[in-house]
Amino acid sequence: MEVEFKAMLDDLDVLEKSLSDPAPIHKLRSHVENLATLSKCNPHRRSKVKELSSEVVDSNPYSRLMALQRMGIVDNYERIREFSVAIVGIGGVGSVAAEMLTRCGIGRLLLYDYDTVELANMNRLFFRPDQVGMTKTDAAVQTLAEINPDVVLESFTMNITTVQGFETFTSSLKNKSFCPSKEGTGVDLVLSCVDNYEARMAVNQACNELSQTWMESGVSEDAVSGHIQLLVPGETACFACAPPLVVASGIDERTLKREGVCAASLPTTMGVVAGLLVQNSLKFLLNFGEVSPYLGYNSLKDFFPTMQMRPNPQCSNVACLERQKEYMLAKPARDAAAKAKMEADALTAIDDGPLHDDNEWNISVVDDENEKDTTKASSSSDTLPEGLTRELPVADEYEKAIAIGPGETEEEDDLEDLKKQLEALNAA
Amino acid sequence: MEVEFKAMLDDLDVLEKSLSDPAPIHKLRSHVENLATLSKCNPHRRSKVKELSSEVVDSNPYSRLMALQRMGIVDNYERIREFSVAIVGIGGVGSVAAEMLTRCGIGRLLLYDYDTVELANMNRLFFRPDQVGMTKTDAAVQTLAEINPDVVLESFTMNITTVQGFETFTSSLKNKSFCPSKEGTGVDLVLSCVDNYEARMAVNQACNELSQTWMESGVSEDAVSGHIQLLVPGETACFACAPPLVVASGIDERTLKREGVCAASLPTTMGVVAGLLVQNSLKFLLNFGEVSPYLGYNSLKDFFPTMQMRPNPQCSNVACLERQKEYMLAKPARDAAAKAKMEADALTAIDDGPLHDDNEWNISVVDDENEKDTTKASSSSDTLPEGLTRELPVADEYEKAIAIGPGETEEEDDLEDLKKQLEALNAA
């Protein structure tokens, strides 16, 4: 559009010189200038942020994330900007995972997909109808860059299961230009969000070869269950250690799906799986909570099974067997390091005073060993700050009542009380 | 912009009449027409769909949802277009819940919020930086209408906790113009996605008064846990039946939060809670799976507690006590209806033949009562369709091995085999 505006203004200049009265030209020129302004003001993008600030103002896009430090959940949230995460498959799960990491302010995202956006994808979050026909990677970069310009986005529009695609995939994972000091590969985590066996095996192969930790995710064809899984080469089962019982052989698995039949999908199941996947990733990267080795989601019964899978010593994947051997060889060093850390932690614990000498929430820690202190602490915590009242009687009153002893009279009185209350209710 | 284009074309008409040579005007006019076309082509919206189709083509936005019928999950997915859902609070959970329901093709959404979009909200899904300054309801309608023009959107930019706001809220829930034949209120479900006690109590009050089923949701201030809860007035506990232990009294609870302190939030936790909430809503509306009465989410340990809460006969909410009485009075009729249904179901079960006489997935159902059939069925299922191979030996081979009997020789041979395999592996 800018080119058109420039051309119009030039034409108006020429025309003005040939006219005796310049007034109509001035009017036209102001129209053009108005239009140029209107066309520019939308979309409004936010400017980049140099350093994450925890300042609590409406204009700070990171205030609610930096609050995780104040709340004691994460030690150093700012580290998120150093991390690179690769997401393979930008569909119903991968696109939402990418958006979540982008909104969390991840340092760098690598996106892999070869598909294009269709109207048939609109029953899942993320893509918009106006992006139909774009490649999923291009559409994702368009949306994500607008949401958070601080994230470095690299997109790879290709199929990682082809020979050339696989090579590009592994070499992109090895590229360390974003954070040259990093150990291992150039990425901190690979998330597999693909929908077929072949692609999962390709991610598995690359990660086994590179000794790269990754997480796998999946959603069932009937749209009502899913899972996430952590895979650490050599330490946990790889994808080939316990493969699906039945797989395609010799022919492309996509042609196995009969014409006119398609898998069901729901934005809910995919959103939950993406949320669990990125939550597990944040716990892994930022070192908080417990990273789940496997977490299932059965939405019909709201059942969330967990399990742990050790590597299969007869795994068909040669690279997996190599990683298993390395892991076993490193066991003595790992045990020694763990022991040293435990001893150091124990020493620090003795040296330290109370964890929170003073805290903002007026929470007092009760020492079990000192009965007197307990009583004092609990009675002082009964006094609520101004502006707060209790909706239910305090627990102490209940304890006092039962502390009277097992005397029958007291209990009968309670029953009488209850009966009276019930009668009063019925009468009301 | 359209007004500006129209004005320019009019001015050019006037100018053309005063000139001897019309060529420069023609050139200018073609520029204006180009610009008008460019400004219109984006954003591209999809047209409305009259009836949900299950046709499997890329251009069908409902194909993956209608597939839920084919997969046997939902009996009649099309019913979704008859339902109205009210969402109170269009923040980190409510906005994502609204988007999920919109993408599922819900009939009508009622949105309530009084807040505006800020950059500080960008760490959660849904709102975009270019919407900063808009009311959350306006921004939501803008985004949702673009995603799915089939959904009827009604937005209420107001605070439901004020006297007037509460009245508008209840009368909007009672409005039955969308589906006049519907029993009860004009909505099928209310979702509470608010972040404070006062607003929850307002939703609770309205739903108790109207005998309206609703679901409550919440996310903790430290951003790492949340919950959803189903509330059926009279049948389950209402929000006042088991209130939080400490609440604000006399003063506005927002002023209790000290300056410079804000709650943490994560797109992951909020996305998971929104997903669980809408999944439970879909199960409730479309009658599949088990609707959860309460589901917690502890993300640090990936723990999902469930529980059931019966109403408190001493609840402080008068409308709740009325609903409880009604529920008790209707018990005999309810029991009789349940018994009649069970008997009818039992009769139908006898009349019916096999559930799926022929099925597309070549799954054969094994009859426990007939041993011969069992053997036949299991051996016929051993033969996989063309293009499929087994990654692991079939279970039958394992069974055959142990079926030989408890003879020691056989077992020793197995051990010998294993030893040989291990040696071969070590030698490799």
Side-chain angles (χ1 to χ4, degrees):
Chain A
M1 281 176 103
E2 271 173 51
V3 181
E4 290 283 329
F5 286 126
K6 182 77 183 45
M8 276 192 87
L9 291 171
D10 290 346
D11 288 349
L12 286 173
D13 285 345
V14 175
L15 198 62
E16 187 176 5
K17 279 170 199 156
S18 69
L19 287 180
S20 51
D21 177 17
I25 303 296
H26 289 171
K27 207 174 159 194
L28 280 167
R29 198 177 279 133
S30 85
H31 278 310
V32 176
E33 280 158 4
N34 271 353
L35 280 167
T37 315
L38 279 172
S39 77
K40 263 183 204 159
C41 71
N42 199 16
H44 160 90
R45 290 193 175 190
R46 84 159 167 84
S47 49
K48 288 198 185 193
V49 169
K50 237 187 177 168
E51 275 183 33
L52 302 198
S53 142
S54 54
E55 200 192 351
V56 183
V57 285
D58 287 342
S59 58
N60 179 4
Y62 294 108
S63 58
R64 265 64 162 174
L65 293 164
M66 293 298 281
L68 288 165
Q69 283 183 201
R70 173 184 282 273
M71 297 272 173
I73 301 293
V74 179
D75 279 342
N76 180 359
Y77 191 83
E78 285 155 89
R79 278 178 58 218
I80 194 127
R81 295 189 94 161
E82 293 162 21
F83 297 126
S84 291
V85 176
I87 304 183
V88 187
I90 312 300
V93 172
S95 63
V96 180
E99 179 171 350
M100 286 174 171
L101 286 167
T102 297
R103 291 190 183 260
C104 284
I106 194 83
R108 171 170 162 256
L109 276 185
L110 294 86
L111 310 173
Y112 306 81
D113 207 303
Y114 63 92
D115 217 357
T116 51
V117 180
E118 306 291 352
L119 271 185
N121 307 140
M122 291 307 134
N123 69 320
R124 286 149 266 177
L125 298 180
F126 194 74
F127 292 116
R128 303 185 306 262
D130 66 87
Q131 295 177 320
V132 166
M134 289 174 79
T135 63
K136 287 186 176 171
T137 44
D138 283 351
V141 167
Q142 180 189 59
T143 303
L144 300 175
E146 202 182 298
I147 290 172
N148 190 345
D150 299 330
V151 178
V152 176
L153 298 168
E154 292 177 22
S155 82
F156 299 85
T157 312
M158 50 157 224
N159 182 347
I160 65 156
T161 67
T162 64
V163 175
Q164 212 203 318
F166 185 78
E167 245 185 60
T168 313
F169 178 49
T170 49
S171 67
S172 65
L173 295 180
K174 282 190 274 188
N175 179 358
K176 292 172 79 160
S177 55
F178 179 73
C179 189
S181 62
K182 203 189 146 313
E183 270 179 56
T185 68
V187 301
D188 298 277
L189 191 62
V190 174
L191 302 182
S192 165
C193 305
V194 298
D195 63 354
N196 64 84
Y197 174 78
E198 209 187 349
R200 283 188 177 90
M201 285 303 259
V203 176
N204 188 59
Q205 183 62 37
C207 291
N208 275 342
E209 283 178 12
L210 301 173
S211 203
Q212 172 64 55
T213 297
W214 62 294
M215 289 187 199
E216 136 74 3
S217 68
V219 172
S220 65
E221 287 214 333
D222 63 6
V224 286
S225 42
H227 74 274
I228 64 164
Q229 186 181 345
L230 171 74
L231 297 102
V232 187
E235 190 178 336
T236 70
C238 87
F239 188 71
C241 282
L245 289 177
V246 172
V247 298
S249 157
I251 58 169
D252 187 334
E253 63 183 301
R254 273 158 297 184
T255 63
L256 274 176
K257 294 181 182 168
R258 269 154 298 171
E259 209 174 310
V261 177
C262 78
S265 59
L266 280 167
T268 44
T269 312
M270 291 194 158
V272 169
V273 169
L276 298 176
L277 179 68
V278 177
Q279 196 84 291
N280 218 32
S281 304
L282 292 175
K283 291 194 280 183
F284 172 80
L285 295 170
L286 296 169
N287 197 23
F288 69 94
E290 289 169 22
V291 180
S292 284
Y294 178 98
L295 179 61
Y297 169 42
N298 171 328
S299 77
L300 294 183
K301 290 177 182 286
D302 280 332
F303 171 57
F304 300 81
T306 53
M307 59 170 176
Q308 204 143 8
M309 281 201 286
R310 271 183 292 183
N312 176 0
Q314 294 179 39
C315 179
S316 62
N317 188 293
V318 179
C320 172
L321 296 177
E322 277 171 29
R323 294 295 91 74
Q324 289 187 41
K325 231 181 237 170
E326 284 167 12
Y327 185 76
M328 288 310 289
L329 286 173
K331 194 178 182 297
R334 211 164 40 240
D335 289 350
K339 200 183 160 203
K341 193 185 171 294
M342 222 163 68
E343 283 168 0
D345 285 353
L347 267 174
T348 326
I350 294 165
D351 287 349
D352 282 356
L355 190 60
H356 300 283
D357 222 359
D358 181 29
N359 67 72
E360 303 197 52
W361 309 100
N362 290 327
I363 295 166
S364 17
V365 179
V366 176
D367 191 344
D368 280 347
E369 289 166 40
N370 194 326
E371 265 298 321
K372 276 181 196 170
D373 274 1
T374 311
T375 332
K376 205 178 133 209
S378 90
S379 61
S380 78
S381 72
D382 284 354
T383 328
L384 290 172
E386 205 186 299
L388 291 178
T389 57
R390 251 174 247 285
E391 279 285 288
L392 293 178
V394 290
D396 284 13
E397 283 175 29
Y398 173 75
E399 275 170 22
K400 245 182 265 160
I402 59 164
I404 292 168
E408 295 289 316
T409 11
E410 290 290 336
E411 275 182 22
E412 270 169 17
D413 274 356
D414 281 349
L415 271 175
E416 282 303 315
D417 265 345
L418 277 175
K419 273 185 200 162
K420 272 180 209 160
Q421 285 178 36
L422 266 174
E423 277 160 17
L425 269 176
N426 287 329
Chain B
M1 280 179 102
E2 271 173 50
V3 181
E4 290 282 330
F5 286 127
K6 181 78 183 44
M8 276 192 84
L9 290 171
D10 290 346
D11 287 351
L12 286 173
D13 285 345
V14 175
L15 198 62
E16 187 175 4
K17 280 169 199 158
S18 70
L19 287 180
S20 51
D21 176 18
I25 302 297
H26 289 170
K27 204 174 160 194
L28 280 167
R29 199 177 278 131
S30 84
H31 277 311
V32 176
E33 281 157 3
N34 271 353
L35 280 167
T37 315
L38 279 172
S39 78
K40 263 184 205 159
C41 71
N42 198 18
H44 160 89
R45 289 192 176 191
R46 83 158 167 87
S47 50
K48 287 197 185 194
V49 169
K50 240 191 176 162
E51 274 182 34
L52 302 199
S53 142
S54 54
E55 199 193 350
V56 183
V57 286
D58 288 342
S59 57
N60 179 4
Y62 295 108
S63 59
R64 264 64 162 176
L65 294 165
M66 293 297 282
L68 288 166
Q69 284 182 200
R70 174 183 282 272
M71 297 272 174
I73 302 295
V74 179
D75 279 341
N76 180 359
Y77 191 82
E78 284 155 270
R79 279 178 59 218
I80 194 129
R81 295 189 95 160
E82 293 162 21
F83 297 125
S84 291
V85 175
I87 304 182
V88 187
I90 312 299
V93 173
S95 62
V96 180
E99 179 171 348
M100 286 174 172
L101 285 168
T102 297
R103 291 188 182 263
C104 283
I106 194 86
R108 172 171 162 255
L109 276 185
L110 294 86
L111 310 173
Y112 305 82
D113 207 303
Y114 63 92
D115 216 358
T116 51
V117 180
E118 306 290 353
L119 271 185
N121 307 139
M122 292 305 133
N123 69 320
R124 284 149 268 177
L125 298 180
F126 194 75
F127 292 115
R128 304 184 307 261
D130 65 87
Q131 295 177 319
V132 164
M134 289 174 80
T135 63
K136 286 185 177 172
T137 45
D138 283 350
V141 167
Q142 181 187 58
T143 302
L144 299 176
E146 202 181 298
I147 289 172
N148 190 345
D150 299 328
V151 179
V152 176
L153 298 168
E154 291 177 22
S155 82
F156 299 85
T157 313
M158 51 156 222
N159 183 347
I160 65 156
T161 67
T162 64
V163 175
Q164 212 204 317
F166 185 77
E167 246 184 59
T168 312
F169 178 48
T170 49
S171 66
S172 65
L173 294 181
K174 282 190 274 188
N175 179 357
K176 291 171 80 161
S177 55
F178 180 74
C179 190
S181 62
K182 203 190 145 315
E183 272 180 55
T185 68
V187 302
D188 298 277
L189 191 62
V190 174
L191 301 181
S192 166
C193 305
V194 299
D195 64 353
N196 64 83
Y197 175 77
E198 210 186 350
R200 282 187 178 92
M201 284 303 258
V203 176
N204 188 59
Q205 183 62 37
C207 291
N208 276 342
E209 284 177 13
L210 301 173
S211 203
Q212 171 66 56
T213 297
W214 63 293
M215 288 187 199
E216 137 74 3
S217 68
V219 172
S220 65
E221 288 215 332
D222 63 5
V224 287
S225 40
H227 74 275
I228 63 163
Q229 187 182 344
L230 170 74
L231 298 101
V232 186
E235 189 177 336
T236 70
C238 89
F239 189 69
C241 282
L245 290 177
V246 173
V247 298
S249 157
I251 58 168
D252 186 333
E253 65 183 300
R254 273 157 298 183
T255 63
L256 274 176
K257 293 179 182 169
R258 269 155 298 174
E259 209 175 310
V261 176
C262 77
S265 59
L266 280 168
T268 44
T269 312
M270 292 195 156
V272 169
V273 170
L276 298 176
L277 179 69
V278 177
Q279 196 84 290
N280 218 33
S281 305
L282 292 175
K283 290 193 281 183
F284 172 79
L285 295 170
L286 296 169
N287 196 23
F288 68 94
E290 290 169 21
V291 180
S292 284
Y294 178 99
L295 179 61
Y297 169 41
N298 171 328
S299 77
L300 294 183
K301 290 177 184 288
D302 280 331
F303 171 58
F304 300 81
T306 52
M307 59 170 175
Q308 204 142 9
M309 282 200 286
R310 271 184 291 182
N312 177 359
Q314 294 179 40
C315 180
S316 62
N317 188 294
V318 179
C320 172
L321 296 178
E322 278 170 28
R323 295 295 91 75
Q324 289 186 39
K325 233 183 238 171
E326 285 166 14
Y327 185 76
M328 288 309 289
L329 286 173
K331 193 178 182 299
R334 211 164 39 240
D335 288 350
K339 201 184 159 203
K341 193 185 173 293
M342 222 164 69
E343 282 168 1
D345 285 354
L347 267 174
T348 327
I350 293 165
D351 287 351
D352 282 358
L355 191 60
H356 301 284
D357 221 2
D358 180 31
N359 65 72
E360 304 197 52
W361 308 102
N362 290 326
I363 295 166
S364 17
V365 180
V366 176
D367 190 345
D368 281 348
E369 289 166 40
N370 194 325
E371 265 300 320
K372 275 180 194 168
D373 275 0
T374 312
T375 334
K376 204 179 134 207
S378 89
S379 61
S380 79
S381 73
D382 284 356
T383 327
L384 290 172
E386 204 186 300
L388 292 179
T389 56
R390 255 173 245 285
E391 278 286 286
L392 293 178
V394 290
D396 284 12
E397 282 175 29
Y398 173 73
E399 273 170 23
K400 245 182 267 162
I402 59 166
I404 292 168
E408 295 290 315
T409 13
E410 291 290 336
E411 275 183 21
E412 270 171 18
D413 275 355
D414 281 349
L415 271 175
E416 282 302 316
D417 265 344
L418 277 174
K419 271 186 200 161
K420 273 179 205 159
Q421 285 179 35
L422 266 173
E423 278 163 15
L425 268 177
N426 287 329

